[in-house]
Amino acid sequence: MAKLCITVTAPTLGELRERRDRAAAEADLVELRLDTVADPDAAGALAGRTGPVIVTCRAAWEGGHFRGSEEERHRLLEAAWRAGADYVDVEFAAWETPWVRAARGARLIASFHDFEGVPGDLAARHRAMRASGADVVKIAVRPTRLAQTLALRELPADRPQVLLAMGEAGLVTRALPQRFGSAWTYAGEGVAPGQVPASRLRGEFRYGAVTPEARVFGLVANPAGHSVSPAMHNAAFAAERLDAVYLPLQAADAEDFLAFAEGFGVEGASVTIPFKTELFDRCRPDAVAAEVGAVNTLVRRPDGWDGFNTDVAGLLAPLDGRLALAGSRAAVLGAGGAARAAAGALRKRGAHVTIYARRPEAAAAVAAATNTAAATLPPPPGSWDLLVNATPVGMHPRVDETPWPGARFDGRLVYDLVYNPLDTRLLREARAAGCDTLSGLDMLVAQAALQFQLWTGITPDTAVMRRAAMERLAAFQPPSMVRS
Ligand code: NAP
């Protein structure tokens, strides 16, 4: 297994030591960033340490904060090395320094950071850095496309090294370092772009709980970082004791995801905005997905990708036992992808569906595609049994909004597809008026459970997935907003 290194920064040496000792309790290695400290002192930073440390003092020209001269910087690094730091990280561009040459690479990390992209001469740089004799070579690049991370996997990995990608697209290199030939991964409070705290790496992304051969699944999205899907699927993998992990895969476009997935061996994916229709054209959709014109799930087969749409069944599942759909009257607010899936699904179950949207032409288009009706907002009095909000109105952070201000809640059940927050203004007002309510979380969990089944053949424990989603959502909102 690759090790976990926590990077610590601090305004003062005293705080750096305190943070160092806290980090040492949960990491294999602690990186001390002396360049962030106002009163840097190598011996002081190392004094009383309880575990192995890397000392670095990053120059401003390599993304660091050190404001002193290069001589001062090297004095600090050399002092740390002489004081017995387990490793001292020195930029490869500053390698030709007498003390570094004299150290002959022992306990040294030769590092290179590119905050703009992936250099074209990556292989040549890697070769030169290895030839330096450093005990460890570290390369950190900033890909703009997910598939660019694959370049790191092409570099020889027969000696200790850390190869990582910064930024959102690089998460996979941090969560699965072994797959990139890395001896350790870095975690911390976002010290570098895309870096995540150790607790999140372990808790949400199963770091340390899966083997280097783990099956890989992911979420194709842009942005992908705030999704609750990794928490839900990884909790279910853990509960089923599967050697599998689910990661946010922030792709630039459909092509980017497919190139990465082929190269990395991704076995399945959830698909969200804006890829639901883009990837539809690149897979074999099943009948449900073909009808909706969008996929939210991909499963890799030896000869390509099969596409599914679990939003349809996921939307219907929470309604079972709540309302008899056959012959009921459903009002759907919105005319986007979710509205289209909702209208089609409800109509198939025998509901009389009317689409209400702020753009009448969009409502008419969805109605035509789903063989339902369209009308102008708001729904007239006494016109619905089920009201479905398929607009994003009321979603975090604009939680004070409602898709239907001054609504007349004279129907039976209000179903808000928004799940963040769990209890939206629409649902609160509907409950106050005596309506039964359903949160978007019910659909989210149901569609995710169906994805899990498609990938693994196992029916997951939805209570586990629901709890994980709620815990993740709680990170976005005040506790008062989190209700089951
Ligand atoms: P979408 O394709 O972008 O469609 C959004 C629809 O909402 C459009 O018709 C849009 O109208 C309308 N809309 C946006 N802002 C509005 C406003 N201020 N007033 C009135 N209408 C407005 O999005 P989607 O994929 O259908 O998703 C819609 C919502 O469902 C999102 O909140 C999403 O998170 C949620 N959802 C939940 C789940 C789940 O599992 N719970 C699954 C899928 C979707 P215009 O076209 O005029 O902009």
Side-chain angles (χ1 to χ4, degrees):
M1 286 300 290
K3 291 179 177 168
L4 177 68
C5 176
I6 295 184
T7 300
V8 296
T9 61
T12 65
L13 198 60
E15 272 187 65
L16 189 78
R17 272 197 300 258
E18 276 174 34
R19 292 181 191 180
R20 175 198 70 190
D21 295 342
R22 274 203 302 275
E26 55 167 337
D28 305 302
L29 262 173
V30 178
E31 182 189 44
L32 303 173
R33 284 284 299 266
L34 290 187
D35 53 306
T36 62
V37 176
D39 51 349
D41 166 51
L46 294 171
R49 68 185 189 276
T50 53
V53 296
I54 299 170
V55 173
T56 191
C57 183
R58 195 69 71 216
W61 50 262
E62 189 115 339
H65 302 279
F66 192 69
R67 295 280 164 258
S69 67
E70 273 298 279
E71 288 71 30
E72 287 172 72
R73 205 170 69 84
H74 275 286
R75 266 200 298 279
L76 277 168
L77 292 170
E78 182 180 0
W81 189 80
R82 291 195 182 284
D86 301 85
Y87 291 106
V88 174
D89 179 325
V90 182
E91 300 80 3
F92 186 55
W95 203 254
E96 289 309 316
T97 311
W99 81 268
V100 173
R101 271 203 303 276
R104 294 173 176 272
R107 291 184 288 117
L108 288 185
I109 300 171
S111 64
F112 166 71
H113 300 78
D114 186 337
F115 289 88
E116 304 294 325
V118 182
D121 61 351
L122 188 65
R125 272 175 197 275
H126 183 247
R127 233 179 354 260
M129 290 170 77
R130 280 159 63 96
S132 72
D135 274 356
V136 181
V137 162
K138 174 190 174 190
I139 292 181
V141 293
R142 179 86 189 254
T144 50
R145 299 175 66 82
L146 194 55
Q148 284 179 312
T149 59
L150 296 175
L152 296 173
R153 275 163 59 91
E154 285 163 15
L155 302 174
D158 51 347
R159 301 227 330 247
Q161 60 185 4
V162 178
L163 306 178
L164 67 90
M166 296 182 282
E168 298 297 330
L171 180 70
V172 63
T173 68
R174 297 183 182 278
L176 293 170
Q178 315 88 321
R179 298 279 263 267
F180 292 84
S182 292
W184 63 76
T185 190
Y186 289 88
E189 302 296 328
V191 179
Q195 193 184 73
V196 295
S199 56
R200 192 166 171 218
L201 210 51
R202 283 210 180 90
E204 195 178 333
F205 304 134
R206 304 202 74 199
Y207 187 83
V210 296
T211 72
E213 289 77 40
R215 302 175 65 188
V216 178
F217 300 87
L219 168 72
V220 197
N222 196 341
H226 292 297
S227 168
V228 300
S229 293
M232 279 195 297
H233 285 294
N234 284 324
F237 284 142
E240 299 297 335
R241 297 180 187 280
L242 294 181
D243 189 21
V245 63
Y246 179 105
L247 298 172
L249 302 174
Q250 186 160 312
D253 47 44
E255 225 43 70
D256 185 24
F257 164 72
L258 291 169
F260 174 79
E262 297 292 334
F264 199 71
V266 174
E267 291 187 38
S270 311
V271 182
T272 184
I273 295 169
F275 299 106
K276 283 184 177 182
T277 46
E278 273 185 46
L279 281 164
F280 178 82
D281 297 328
R282 306 297 307 271
C283 70
R284 283 179 301 244
D286 77 341
V288 176
E291 198 165 323
V292 177
V295 288
N296 80 330
T297 312
L298 292 176
V299 182
R300 189 191 162 104
R301 309 284 186 215
D303 57 346
W305 295 87
D306 281 349
F308 301 88
N309 194 316
T310 67
D311 279 340
V312 174
L315 182 130
L316 291 174
L319 289 166
D320 281 345
R322 301 293 284 267
L323 186 82
L325 289 174
S328 69
R329 297 161 307 159
V332 174
L333 308 183
R340 188 175 155 145
L346 295 170
R347 192 194 62 79
K348 282 212 152 167
R349 288 285 185 93
H352 303 290
V353 181
T354 308
I355 314 287
Y356 297 90
R358 61 180 172 185
R359 288 185 301 118
E361 68 280 13
V366 172
T370 54
N371 199 12
T372 56
T376 45
L377 273 165
S383 65
W384 53 273
D385 303 301
L386 169 67
L387 178 78
V388 179
N389 175 32
T391 79
V393 184
M395 205 161 105
H396 181 82
R398 296 166 73 172
V399 296
D400 295 335
E401 296 181 2
T402 166
W404 188 3
R408 202 186 155 105
F409 292 106
D410 53 9
R412 285 181 50 198
L413 176 62
V414 176
Y415 188 0
D416 198 339
L417 302 192
V418 169
Y419 54 83
N420 184 11
L422 300 184
D423 203 23
T424 59
R425 179 177 155 193
L426 180 74
L427 294 183
R428 286 196 304 277
E429 290 181 355
R431 247 192 339 269
C435 282
D436 196 5
T437 58
L438 262 178
S439 139
L441 183 67
D442 297 280
M443 172 178 173
L444 186 75
V445 172
Q447 62 80 30
L450 292 166
Q451 296 184 319
F452 194 92
Q453 258 172 334
L454 285 165
W455 296 327
T456 65
I458 296 170
T459 304
D461 181 346
T462 49
V464 165
M465 298 180 102
R466 189 183 176 87
R467 201 164 43 244
M470 286 179 62
E471 278 168 17
R472 181 78 182 112
L473 285 170
F476 298 125
Q477 53 196 289
S480 61
M481 304 299 290
V482 182
R483 286 170 42 106
S484 55

